[in-house]
């Protein structure tokens, strides 16, 4: 999982602003995922992508958007439509044909 | 629907004792069950996983058991140590969408 990077580590946003969280991996993994984690809660799936130029909504996609233009990159945009965006955001990736997901270090987003 | 239930939500044991965390899943077609350990503010780290063609897997002080008929699996930690204190998440893969669904987590505290 050392090959998955997320930036920034901490992010502060004013209400009404869109922000984009970066996720990059150099593991040559095909599938990538975005999860949201709230304090004391489990991981909830926002979006996932199995291949380049294709992605699917997860369980809590409203107020978020993604793109997958390159295999190694899967940025997440938190839009102003997301009413309660303060959370810890985790990106993960998986090799095609495998089941194991490996996580990046996370981005902690705080709305001021 | 896709669901993983995890119990207990908190667990406190004396150092040296054993800890057991249990999960149930909804999809009988699920065939991959990982366990992740998450320390405060860090990324989830895979500690052990099991596939549906085996009933038990061990790795030093950690073991996982799977009962496919009952659709439940458990994490067993023996000879617990202070560094085992963390939040543990179980998960199950849902093949229709190649995604993991996570349990709500168990906060394990090892008392010296």
């Amino acid at each position: 999982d050392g090959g998955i990077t997320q930036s920034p580590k901490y992010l502060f946003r004013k209400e009404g602003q869109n922000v984009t969280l970066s996720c990059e991996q150099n593991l040559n993994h095909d599938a990538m995922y975005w999860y949201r984690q709230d304090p004391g809660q489990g991981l909830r799936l926002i979006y996932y992508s199995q291949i380049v130029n294709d992605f699917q909504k997860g369980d809590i996609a409203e107020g978020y958007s993604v793109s997958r233009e390159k295999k190694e990159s899967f940025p997440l945009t938190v839009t102003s439509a997301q009413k309660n965006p303060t959370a810890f955001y985790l990106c993960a990736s998986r090799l095609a044909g495998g089941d194991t997901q490996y996580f990046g270090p996370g981005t902690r987003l705080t709305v001021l | 629907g896709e669901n993983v239930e995890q119990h207990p939500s908190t667990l406190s044991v004396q150092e040296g004792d054993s800890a057991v965390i249990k999960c149930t899943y909804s999809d009988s077609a699920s065939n991959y069950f990982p366990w992740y350990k998450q320390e405060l503010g860090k990324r989830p780290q895979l500690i052990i996983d099991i596939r549906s063609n085996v009933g038990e897997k061990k790795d030093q002080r950690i073991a996982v058991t799977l009962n496919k008929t009952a659709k439940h699996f458990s994490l067993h930690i023996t000879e617990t140590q202070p560094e085992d204190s963390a939040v543990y998440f179980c998960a199950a893969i849902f093949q229709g969408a190649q995604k993991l669904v996570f349990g709500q987590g168990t906060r394990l505290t090892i008392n010296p």
Side-chain angles (χ1 to χ4, degrees):
Chain A
D1 53 318
I4 304 174
T5 58
Q6 291 185 240
S7 61
K9 185 173 182 179
Y10 298 97
L11 185 57
F12 298 89
R13 189 195 92 172
K14 293 182 179 179
E15 285 191 19
Q17 287 182 335
N18 292 354
V19 290
T20 297
L21 282 58
S22 170
C23 178
E24 303 276 332
Q25 52 94 6
N26 61 3
L27 302 169
N28 201 32
H29 284 182
D30 302 273
M32 297 186 75
Y33 303 80
W34 274 106
Y35 294 90
R36 170 180 172 143
Q37 186 174 33
D38 293 284
Q41 301 296 313
L43 285 73
R44 293 185 290 169
L45 183 63
I46 305 172
Y47 268 99
Y48 60 106
S49 168
Q50 308 276 25
I51 57 172
V52 174
N53 292 322
D54 188 43
F55 49 83
Q56 289 79 40
K57 293 182 178 180
D59 301 316
I60 56 166
E62 185 175 352
Y64 300 97
S65 66
V66 294
S67 63
R68 186 83 188 277
E69 297 177 0
K70 298 186 296 183
K71 186 176 184 178
E72 58 270 23
S73 179
F74 191 40
L76 174 74
T77 297
V78 184
T79 74
S80 56
Q82 170 50 237
K83 297 306 178 188
N84 186 22
T86 294
F88 189 45
Y89 290 86
L90 288 157
C91 177
S93 69
R94 173 182 63 83
L95 189 63
D99 294 312
T100 304
Q101 291 186 21
Y102 298 94
F103 285 87
T107 292
R108 192 166 299 278
L109 173 63
T110 302
V111 173
L112 304 174
Chain B
E2 301 163 341
N3 191 45
V4 176
E5 296 285 338
Q6 182 173 347
H7 300 281
S9 57
T10 60
L11 180 59
S12 181
V13 301
Q14 289 297 119
E15 183 177 353
D17 288 350
S18 296
V20 180
I21 303 170
K22 299 181 179 181
C23 291
T24 59
Y25 58 98
S26 59
D27 186 359
S28 57
S30 294
N31 61 1
Y32 175 69
F33 308 92
W35 285 89
Y36 288 85
K37 175 183 180 182
Q38 186 179 29
E39 297 177 348
L40 189 63
K42 302 288 183 63
R43 75 185 83 189
Q45 300 266 20
L46 179 73
I47 56 171
I48 195 167
D49 56 14
I50 191 168
R51 300 184 189 280
S52 58
N53 57 347
V54 298
E56 182 176 3
K57 183 177 179 181
K58 295 182 72 173
D59 182 3
Q60 299 183 347
R61 296 186 297 107
I62 294 173
V64 57
T65 58
L66 172 66
N67 183 327
K68 283 196 66 179
T69 302
K71 291 190 287 186
H72 68 71
F73 57 111
S74 300
L75 178 71
H76 305 252
I77 306 175
T78 60
E79 301 173 18
T80 53
Q81 301 169 4
E83 53 264 37
D84 295 329
S85 294
V87 178
Y88 292 81
F89 292 97
C90 64
I93 198 165
F94 287 79
Q95 289 288 58
Q98 274 292 304
K99 61 179 185 179
L100 284 176
V101 176
F102 287 82
Q104 291 292 75
T106 296
R107 181 173 299 279
L108 175 63
T109 302
I110 308 302
N111 301 308

